[in-house]
Amino acid sequence: MKRFLILLLLLFSPPLHAALHERVVDYRAGNVLLKGYLVWDDAYGTKQPAVLVVHEWWGLNDYARERARMLAGLGYTALAVDMYGEGKSTEHASDASGFMNNVLEHADVARERFLAAKALLERQPMVDASKKTAAIGYCFGGATVLNMARQGVDLAAVASFHGNLVTRTPAQPGAVKARVLVLNGADDSFITQDSIRAFEQEMQHAGADYRFINYPGAVHGFTNPDADRLGKANNMPLAYNAAADKASWEAMKQLFNGVFGR
């Protein structure tokens, strides 16, 4: 009996060397040096689904890296993407607006930088190449992953947390390959009811597999524990909402469980 119990422990216990691995990775899009943050946990084996994390308009900061670590803790290899170059970030709205607009004002820049990150992640030896990559994003990053889905980028799924819904390039019928999940604060003053209606009509017209969830009482930035501090410092209507944060993360997990057969 004792030998049997020892055998069970050996079979079902994680390897002793299992650990969280994290590192900064340099890559390029055009002439711009980008500095992403790659993280995985080898307790989940050597072939893991891949997930991209696109940051808020503040840039690739500790919050985006923490979300990547949380995904690694679920058994995904995650790359927190650098959309601004040189890994830069800020806590000042004026700087964040400038960084963001430098990307948005050039139609191909966001796509080029997203695809460069996607290619880098998919080359990693611990990534399961038989499965498509998924992507999540926050605020600016949420809008970014939605736009990648609209443009037909080959993704398994995208999840947008408090991301802008307005786009200059609406999805065309049959274009959206990814399953789409939008996680929105019902009291977010940046997201109008008209933009929600337009988004849902767009997804229906495109024939997309999508789900839209509104969280009552939640405002912009509801997943970020630093939202209250950043909102106060920048005179912006931002606030953390623990209940909406937890519920939206669970909705994302449910989507990924279905997509990746977990």
Side-chain angles (χ1 to χ4, degrees), residues 165 184-188 191-199 214:
L165 304 177
N184 186 66
D187 294 340
D188 188 337
I191 308 298
T192 67
Q193 290 301 310
D194 285 344
S195 70
I196 293 173
R197 282 191 292 269
F199 170 76
N214 248 344

Side-chain angles (χ1 to χ4, degrees), residues 66-97:
E66 175 59 19
R67 288 297 178 177
R69 284 190 289 269
M70 290 172 68
L71 285 164
L74 298 174
Y76 301 102
T77 296
L79 177 67
V81 177
D82 176 12
M83 294 295 289
Y84 293 161
E86 299 288 349
K88 60 178 173 273
S89 65
T90 183
E91 292 194 347
H92 302 287
S94 58
D95 293 336
S97 179

Side-chain angles (χ1 to χ4, degrees), residues 3-85:
R3 291 179 63 187
F4 177 70
L5 290 175
I6 292 172
L7 179 60
L8 285 178
L9 286 171
L10 290 173
L11 287 173
F12 295 104
S13 296
L16 294 177
H17 66 273
L20 188 74
H21 299 271
E22 47 192 323
R23 65 172 183 257
V24 174
V25 286
D26 291 352
Y27 59 108
R28 288 186 176 273
N31 295 322
V32 177
L33 176 65
L34 304 164
K35 291 182 174 292
Y37 170 77
L38 180 69
V39 58
W40 74 99
D41 190 331
D42 60 16
Y44 293 92
T46 57
K47 295 299 177 184
Q48 303 173 6
V51 183
L52 295 160
V53 180
V54 187
H55 53 74
E56 297 175 287
W57 77 333
W58 308 113
L60 180 46
N61 55 16
D62 287 340
Y63 177 65
R65 288 188 283 269
E66 175 59 19
R67 288 297 178 177
R69 284 190 289 269
M70 290 172 68
L71 285 164
L74 298 174
Y76 301 102
T77 296
L79 177 67
V81 177
D82 176 12
M83 294 295 289
Y84 293 161

Side-chain angles (χ1 to χ4, degrees), residues 158-181:
V158 299
S160 169
F161 297 81
H162 42 84
N164 191 3
L165 304 177
V166 177
T167 182
R168 299 174 185 172
T169 56
Q172 298 303 305
V176 181
K177 300 174 185 177
R179 290 178 61 181
V180 174
L181 175 63

